[in-house]
Amino acid sequence: MKPHPVVAPAPAPPRIMTLGVEEEFLLLDPATGESMPVAARVLDALSGPAREQSRQEFRHSMVEMVTPVCTDLAQLREHLVALRRAAADAAEAAGARLVAVGATPVCEAHRSVPDEQRYQAMSRRFGPVAHDPAVCGCHVHVGIPDRDLAVQVCNHLRPWLPVVQALTANSPLHDGRDTGHASWRSMQLERWPSIGPTPHFESVADYDATVAELIAAGIMLDAAMVYWYARPSAGYPTVEIRVGDVCPTVDDTVLVAALVRALVATMVDDIRAGVAAPRVRDCLVAAAHWRAAHDGVDGELIDLRGGGARPAWELIDELVTTVSPALARHGDLDAVLRELQRVRREGTGATRQRRIMARTDGDVRAVLQHLTAQTTAG
């Protein structure tokens, strides 16, 4: 790794950073587990804050729920619980089940996109790739109003995002069978040309020029199609981390959001101290993300700072050590340590699904019943 020249200190953001979360969910048939194209009915059934915080997604079998801007984990948790329960009630009224799972577990017969101009343009441009079975992510926004600082933060995040990805792995199933990958969603998304690890950029001008070139080349329709794992948000004054599968439970989501906020805050501290972002070859970053998607936390991850493969939990522990001062500053340290102990005992969503598959001789319906219950537990 070749060090990058030290950059000038950036303006200091607030010590307590805001955060928000976007969660995507599947609408599944309660009897078969197949995806159901009833998103329009579900969205129409929502009311009040839940309707305002909902979004149409790229599949008729998906809904997205978006929290308001939050400052503490208790507030975030309250919003996540309320939004999941409202969406689950609306899904049940439409004859479906709301399920927090990263990829279509059984099958999706209806793969047309909603009749919205941008989605139709994406369908024409990208063809069959745009009609893969639905996948669902968890996107965490952390308040960074300065775009130049946001680009620098994305540079600094590159070695750590595979660790975050491993912690969120929640999609081992495809076509009713175990894929051998903890996050099959990650594998599906690799077919899109604008998805993957965030490149290293010298400045916000470099970032904007590169995005403009990719749009001109037809790789993206517009700047909103920057689907890199970390990016200055196209719509909010935030850094958006979009590497993870949707988490099975609210507690899992809160844990990931707390770690991501602390990680962003730690990278800001490093930038202000003049610490250069490590320069890691793109092929190694891509390899680390593949390993995270394959193994989750149950195997090894690639250490992009020191090199080589290491047990996943060693790198998770190093991540926590690195961000502990920021966790403490935000009042999140005790909660994160407690929830990580739970995940160490229970495993990620992928681990839990596989445990049920093993116990029930591969009964996917048992897995989906478990996921349905976990989605609204809280």
Side-chain angles (χ1 to χ4, degrees):
M1 294 182 287
K2 183 172 68 175
H4 181 65
V6 173
V7 295
R15 285 182 58 79
I16 303 301
M17 291 182 164
T18 59
L19 78 167
V21 173
E22 300 168 349
E23 292 190 299
E24 298 164 341
F25 302 98
L26 283 182
L27 301 165
L28 302 183
D29 187 297
T32 67
E34 297 180 9
S35 299
M36 293 184 64
V38 295
R41 291 168 58 190
V42 172
L43 293 174
D44 286 344
L46 295 171
S47 61
R51 184 68 185 95
E52 295 169 5
Q53 300 300 130
S54 66
R55 302 287 185 272
Q56 182 184 52
E57 258 303 330
F58 195 57
R59 284 282 175 272
H60 291 290
S61 59
M62 294 173 62
V63 295
E64 180 180 53
M65 306 302 290
V66 181
T67 72
V69 177
C70 301
T71 55
D72 63 73
L73 298 188
Q75 182 185 33
L76 177 67
R77 190 180 195 283
E78 180 180 347
H79 286 300
L80 289 168
V81 169
L83 290 171
R84 284 185 175 215
R85 288 179 175 171
D89 289 344
E92 186 172 5
R97 295 291 181 268
L98 187 83
V99 181
V101 63
T104 298
V106 178
C107 69
E108 182 157 23
H110 304 278
R111 300 189 191 179
S112 62
V113 300
D115 189 19
E116 194 268 332
Q117 184 176 358
R118 187 166 179 274
Y119 288 161
Q120 291 295 323
M122 291 169 68
S123 176
R124 291 191 298 271
R125 173 68 58 84
F126 300 104
V129 173
H131 297 271
D132 280 344
V135 293
C136 296
C138 173
H139 305 160
V140 180
H141 290 258
V142 181
I144 300 282
D146 182 279
R147 290 188 75 243
D148 188 71
L149 178 59
V151 169
Q152 294 181 53
V153 166
C154 292
N155 289 340
H156 281 255
L157 287 171
R158 279 162 50 94
W160 289 112
L161 290 187
V163 183
V164 176
Q165 181 181 14
L167 274 168
T168 67
N170 185 38
S171 53
L173 303 182
H174 173 69
D175 199 23
R177 294 185 293 272
D178 193 326
T179 63
H181 291 75
S183 174
W184 186 247
R185 166 184 167 274
S186 299
M187 296 298 98
Q188 277 190 232
L189 288 177
E190 284 191 354
R191 286 157 57 89
W192 287 86
S194 60
I195 292 179
T198 311
H200 184 105
F201 293 104
E202 302 298 329
S203 64
V204 69
D206 183 26
Y207 177 95
D208 290 339
T210 301
V211 171
E213 288 183 28
L214 290 169
I215 293 171
I219 301 302
M220 306 172 185
L221 296 182
D222 49 42
M225 278 197 72
V226 175
Y227 295 145
W228 294 321
Y229 295 152
R231 66 177 186 178
S233 172
Y236 305 105
T238 65
V239 166
E240 180 183 0
I241 310 304
R242 45 189 302 118
V243 71
D245 290 356
V246 66
C247 297
T249 70
V250 166
D251 287 337
D252 293 320
T253 302
V254 171
L255 168 62
V256 170
L259 284 171
V260 166
R261 175 167 67 172
L263 185 55
V264 170
T266 301
M267 299 303 99
V268 170
D269 291 343
D270 285 351
I271 293 164
R272 287 190 49 75
V275 177
R279 297 299 291 262
V280 188
R281 292 185 184 277
D282 289 346
C283 59
L284 294 178
V285 178
H289 280 288
W290 180 87
R291 192 64 183 266
H294 185 272
D295 287 17
V297 302
D298 297 322
E300 293 184 322
L301 300 176
I302 305 300
D303 183 353
L304 290 174
R305 296 158 305 123
R310 296 173 56 195
W313 279 101
E314 284 187 10
L315 289 178
I316 294 168
D317 289 341
E318 288 186 11
L319 168 62
V320 174
T321 299
T322 300
V323 304
S324 283
L327 287 171
R329 185 165 80 226
H330 286 86
D332 299 342
L333 182 58
D334 290 343
V336 164
L337 293 177
R338 182 176 62 251
E339 290 304 315
L340 277 173
Q341 284 299 317
R342 176 184 59 81
V343 175
R344 198 185 291 262
R345 291 191 311 269
E346 299 177 358
T348 62
T351 309
R352 297 169 216 169
Q353 291 179 54
R354 285 169 165 161
R355 188 178 298 129
I356 294 171
M357 289 281 283
R359 189 172 65 236
T360 61
D361 195 27
D363 186 351
V364 175
R365 289 177 298 177
V367 174
L368 298 179
Q369 289 171 3
H370 166 80
L371 284 169
T372 301
Q374 291 227 307
T375 299
T376 53

